[in-house]
Amino acid sequence: MSRTTLDDRATTPRRPHLPLRPLWLCRVCAAPWPCPVARLTLRQEYAHDRIGLNIYLCTVLHEAAADLYRLNPHDGQDPAALFTRFLGWARPRHLR
């Protein structure tokens, strides 16, 4: 069995950290999505469009809240916790 070299890892495409719906867990690392890698990727993708990032995150927050409520209508996620998870990290530092 051969060992993976640094060069092999540099040329191997990475799997994107996308949500597994309706659970809203990361498909790669199984952390609640957006996981730290997804957050970093989103910050990079929307580096010059902060408003676009927030609109996208509001949209996925709405979809996640609906999915998670359908999965567990009696003990659903706290709305404040969902806001923090999906949008709280994206605020500019001076507003935190």
Side-chain angles (χ1 to χ4, degrees):
M1 182 184 275
S2 67
R3 292 180 52 171
T4 303
T5 66
L6 194 53
D7 291 334
D8 291 339
R9 283 182 271 158
T11 59
T12 303
R14 292 185 176 192
R15 292 178 47 207
H17 286 248
L18 299 173
L20 174 64
R21 293 182 65 178
L23 299 174
W24 289 90
L25 298 175
C26 177
R27 290 177 180 268
V28 176
C29 65
W33 194 91
C35 65
V37 174
R39 291 177 183 190
L40 180 61
T41 303
L42 288 166
R43 279 189 196 270
Q44 291 171 342
E45 287 178 11
Y46 287 91
H48 300 292
D49 188 8
R50 197 67 141 171
I51 293 170
L53 173 61
N54 283 296
I55 290 170
Y56 172 70
L57 292 173
C58 285
T59 302
V60 294
L61 167 62
H62 183 267
E63 293 173 2
D67 285 347
L68 294 170
Y69 178 77
R70 273 192 297 277
L71 287 175
N72 193 359
H74 302 292
D75 295 326
Q77 297 231 347
D78 174 46
L82 282 176
F83 176 86
T84 300
R85 174 178 163 182
F86 283 88
L87 284 160
W89 62 270
R91 291 185 292 186
R93 286 199 168 104
H94 68 279
L95 296 177
R96 290 185 191 167

